[in-house]
């Protein structure tokens, strides 16, 4: 019994101490990639017409300087949103922890193009670049949104020279409101989405999606990759509740 307990504890320690060494990245995901998304997990829990709680966790390994922007650490939000459990951990090439940050290390800016200092659209930013490559950014946070009109689309990635090991979008609907979902397959059979679950809880997954090279005449990734979009039959926007016919 003692041996079994020690074995379980050892397994748990390995599980919770994931460090994402760069050497573990499959070779096909390194091809044409400046950055590899090791993990991009989102859980969206719809509690009521004016509350969705999002949990985000994205782990990105930056292979070279051109990949720095693909691992930018920021949280866009609006007045009234709640942000919590912000954690950032930086790992070196071998997967050894280099540094960690919390919400207090972020800077708050207006998120608009007009140069206005105060705006309801805000963004929290953590400036970080490494002098050594590759390095890995493990970034997670929770956001509570009272505006439920916009639920983000789920797609493997949105920029060229980026690849994906695993992406997952779990949506839990506790509101009783009809959730409308539509999948758009890749016109080029570049990747496909795996759907699981049923009823009020569904999970969508992408795995091992290679990078799209930024080459002349290559279409934007959004025109190549599949995606899933979501919408509620009833939603809240700026305190006003609406019904979609």
């Amino acid at each position: 019994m003692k041996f079994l307990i020690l074995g379980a504890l050892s397994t748990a320690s390995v599980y919770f101490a994931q460090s994402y060494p760069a050497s573990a990245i499959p070779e096909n995901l390194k091809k044409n990639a400046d950055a590899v998304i090791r993990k991009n997990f989102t859980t969206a829990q719809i509690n009521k017409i004016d509350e969705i709680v999002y949990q985000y966790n994205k782990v990105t390994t930056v292979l070279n300087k051109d990949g720095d922007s693909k691992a930018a650490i920021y949280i866009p939000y609006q007045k009234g949103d709640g942000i919590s459990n912000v954690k950032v951990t930086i790992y070196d090439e071998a997967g050894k922890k280099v540094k960690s940050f919390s919400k207090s290390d972020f800077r708050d800016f207006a998120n608009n193009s007009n140069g206005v200092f105060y705006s309801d659209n805000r963004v929290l930013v953590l400036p970080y670049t490494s002098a050594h490559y590759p390095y890995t950014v493990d970034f997670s946070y929770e956001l509570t949104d009272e505006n439920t009109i916009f639920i983000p689309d789920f797609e493997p990635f949105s920029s060229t020279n980026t690849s994906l090991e695993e992406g997952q979008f779990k949506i839990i609907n506790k509101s009783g409101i009809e959730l409308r979902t539509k999948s758009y397959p890749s016109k080029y059979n570049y990747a496909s989405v795996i759907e699981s679950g049923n009823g009020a809880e569904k999970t969508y997954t992408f795995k091992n999606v290679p990078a799209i090279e930024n080459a002349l005449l290559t279409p934007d990734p959004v025109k190549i990759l599949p995606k899933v979009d979501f919408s509620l039959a009833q939603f809240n926007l700026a305190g006003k509740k609406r019904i979609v016919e």
Side-chain angles (χ1 to χ4, degrees), residues 8-218:
L9 289 173
S10 176
T11 302
S13 297
V14 171
Y15 179 81
F16 288 110
Q18 295 184 54
S19 57
Y20 304 99
S23 59
I25 300 173
E27 287 300 318
N28 69 306
L29 297 184
K30 294 179 183 178
K31 184 179 180 180
N32 298 322
D34 297 323
V36 180
I37 302 170
R38 316 291 295 277
K39 169 184 175 181
N40 191 8
F41 284 12
T42 298
T43 298
Q45 182 168 301
I46 307 165
N47 292 324
K48 50 187 178 178
I49 193 171
D50 57 357
E51 184 181 279
I52 301 180
V53 178
Y54 295 97
Q55 293 177 319
Y56 297 100
N57 184 200
K58 186 175 185 180
V59 180
T60 306
T61 295
V62 178
L63 301 178
N64 54 56
K65 189 173 181 61
D66 290 334
D68 283 335
S69 62
K70 302 178 188 298
I73 306 167
Y74 64 95
I75 304 173
Y77 72 99
Q78 293 183 322
K79 182 181 178 182
D81 291 347
I83 300 170
S84 60
N85 299 323
V86 180
K87 298 178 182 178
V88 179
T89 305
I90 310 297
Y91 298 98
D92 65 11
E93 179 178 1
K96 181 180 178 181
K97 180 179 175 181
V98 174
K99 199 166 185 179
S100 59
F101 302 92
S102 64
K103 185 179 178 182
S104 62
D105 297 305
F106 284 66
R107 299 174 65 185
D108 195 341
F109 299 97
N111 190 12
N112 60 66
S113 59
N114 300 321
V116 178
F117 177 75
Y118 183 79
S119 169
D120 285 349
N121 295 313
R122 311 290 301 176
V123 60
L124 292 173
V125 179
L126 177 66
Y128 181 83
T129 53
S130 174
H132 305 283
Y133 299 90
Y135 68 93
T136 297
V137 178
D138 185 348
F139 176 31
S140 62
Y141 66 97
E142 184 175 299
L143 185 144
T144 302
D145 193 350
E146 60 185 17
N147 291 319
T148 55
I149 182 173
F150 300 115
I151 299 175
D153 293 342
F154 177 50
E155 53 194 1
F157 45 79
S158 58
S159 61
T160 57
N161 301 108
T162 304
S163 62
L164 172 75
E165 276 197 64
E166 184 174 8
Q168 184 184 99
F169 195 107
K170 178 185 287 186
I171 191 154
I172 305 167
N173 186 7
K174 294 187 173 183
S175 68
I177 301 169
E178 179 191 358
L179 175 67
R180 299 169 180 174
T181 305
K182 186 171 183 179
S183 294
Y184 296 87
S186 168
K187 297 178 181 178
Y188 301 88
N189 294 318
Y190 198 82
S192 58
V193 64
I194 302 166
E195 181 179 342
S196 61
N198 51 57
E201 184 171 326
K202 288 188 176 182
T203 302
Y204 301 85
T205 305
F206 291 113
K207 288 187 176 181
N208 299 316
V209 183
I212 297 172
E213 186 178 9
N214 184 14
L216 185 66
L217 301 180
T218 300

